[in-house]
Amino acid sequence: MGKPEDFGVTTGADKPYFDHEKGPRAERYGSAVLDAGELDELQQSTKRGLKSRHAQMIALGGTIGTGLFVGSGATLARGGPAFILVCYIILTILILFIITAITEVAAHLPVAGGTMSYFGFRYVSSSLGFAMGWLYWYSLGILVPYEITAAGLVIDYWGSPVNVGVWITIFIIVIVGLNFFPVSVYGETEFWFASLKVIMMIGLLILSFILFWGGGPNHQRLGFHFWKDPGPVNTYLMVGDAGRTIAFFSTLVLSAFPFTFAAELIVVTGGEMKNPRRNLPIAAKRYIYRLVIFYVGCVLAIGVICSSQDEALTSKGAGAKSAAFVVGIKNAGIKGLDSVINAVIIISAWSSGNSFLYISSRSLYSMAVAGNAPAVFRKCTKNGVPYMAVFASALFTPLAYMNCASSGSTVFAWFVNLTNTSGFISWICCCIVYLRFRKACKAQGFTDLPYHSWMQPYGAWIALVMFVILVLINGFDVFFPGQFSASSFLTAYIGIPIFLGIYFTHRILHRHDTWARDPLEVDLTTGLQDIKDQEVPKKKHYDHWWEYGKVLWE
């Protein structure tokens, strides 16, 4: 794809984004200039095998994993029920800003293999797209062993006599194996995995409501008992107001982890979704309700049924950083249910690990077709699976074996810190991409957009400022006396120099590039008509009543 001399050629301030020598349908994709035929070949490499129900359920449950079930327990212990609730509400609003922004970008041109790094290249600069692509690849790759690590922590709850290394091996085989199947199999698997998680979440919320009114075996009416004793908020590192302030910001940082890369998953699925210009906005619009119900509802529930001072939430208890729901249900005297929930949490880890490996491999594939990664990662099976990219992304999974040498809770904390930084950087870049895209649309008078939110562009600006602050304070607690450790400091901040190093290295090697593309020269149309031609009109009228229900299954 593309002549050798095309690769490594970049656009400068005096060069338009189109390559007019190759014709009106030519497009510079990454470092390569692709003509119409090559662009078609690129967009047919992966297959549009995801149905609307796949995309919506993946967006809902694909990243509801151990970060929410297990990580929220440690966050509750850090800040108390009031702080964790407020912080989740703040993060929900900020993620809503991100979702509405990137959906506007992705729904306009949902190209096959497209990721936010692709849109970063197309609408901002080749250097930003290059840096974002590698950020997604290694960050999402690292999240896979994180999920496996968290699953190992949950297994410790039962005191399994089997070495954790055996369980890690099983998890790796299942997760990697599923990603070598066609995307339709991945979508179907994730649909049922995510459905199971959603059913469990609904059940846990109902159970929490029952326990609130004293419907448990011990008939203790919990109400907001734990908001009174030990109290709504905790202190951290210091006492008094200073300790509560530190606890709030620390809780805010920790609360971001369950949301990490959930928004970006919608963009990736858009590239392999049927009728993406119609279905992508639908998935995004419904996403906010799911955030409120499952994320905010979850932390409100655990604040009701579990004390923030319970030692089982921290490494002092059996099953380091145990899920707060499990601890609360066990304390309520409900026998057997804690093990059932832990089993579903393990399935959640499988599901989320599956999703993260999927996005990581598609990010690498996207960079390869853009000329920003070795061409070998462009190779796909006849079913559209980029098998070399999947294999390379799976190389991160052995990091989970660190559990065999260190405490699982310690490794868990390392992954949280490292991933938080990458998540904040990703969201900052998403805001920049959206704002440049919007500026290009305005400059060119382009209005043919399938989706736009009334929150924008103000939401993108607010999110941009907030995530810049959060990335800088991600590991602030290591600077307090007696708290510094090299591992905590590095995992909290190493992501910043890595990203900047990748970005500026590309800038130096391509110094003739513009820092940001001229809004008037940004390509908003190449490939758009092909995507429109593939869209299937929505059926407005049905001959039978049962066909309306069928819509939910398509």
Side-chain angles (χ1 to χ4, degrees), residues 491-503:
T491 53
Y493 289 107
I494 192 66
I496 298 175
I498 288 176
F499 179 81
L500 294 178
I502 295 172
Y503 177 83

Side-chain angles (χ1 to χ4, degrees), residues 394-405:
L395 294 177
F396 287 104
T397 56
L399 290 174
Y401 287 107
M402 289 193 299
N403 268 332
C404 300

Side-chain angles (χ1 to χ4, degrees), residues 59 69 89 119 177 191 210 271 273 281 286 296 313 321 468 512:
F69 290 126
I89 291 173
F119 296 119
F191 176 82
I210 294 173
M273 181 191 300
R286 294 174 180 174
V296 177
L313 296 176
K321 289 182 177 165
V468 168
H512 299 297

Side-chain angles (χ1 to χ4, degrees), residues 135-218:
L135 170 76
Y136 287 137
W137 178 66
Y138 73 75
S139 299
L140 292 162
I142 289 172
L143 273 172
V144 181
Y146 155 77
E147 290 292 340
I148 296 173
T149 296
L153 289 176
V154 174
I155 289 176
D156 282 344
Y157 181 85
W158 291 305
S160 172
V162 180
N163 187 279
V164 70
V166 176
W167 296 113
I168 289 172
T169 303
I170 295 174
F171 294 146
I172 290 175
I173 291 173
V174 173
I175 290 172
V176 176
L178 285 173
N179 271 269
F180 278 105
F181 283 99
V183 68
S184 57
V185 176
Y186 161 79
E188 199 65 36
T189 304
E190 272 306 295
F191 176 82
W192 292 108
F193 273 166
S195 298
L196 182 61
K197 288 187 285 186
V198 169
I199 291 172
M200 185 181 78
M201 282 297 303
I202 294 174
L204 288 174
L205 292 176
I206 294 174
L207 177 61
S208 299
F209 181 77
I210 294 173
L211 293 177
F212 180 93
W213 295 105
N218 55 15

Side-chain angles (χ1 to χ4, degrees), residues 437-446 524:
F437 169 77
R438 183 181 176 89
K439 189 171 184 178
C441 290
K442 188 175 182 180
Q444 299 180 28
F446 192 89
L524 296 172

Side-chain angles (χ1 to χ4, degrees), residues 359-377:
I359 314 176
S360 178
S361 62
R362 289 337 187 249
S363 297
L364 184 57
Y365 167 77
S366 179
M367 288 190 294
V369 296
N372 290 328
V376 67
F377 298 123

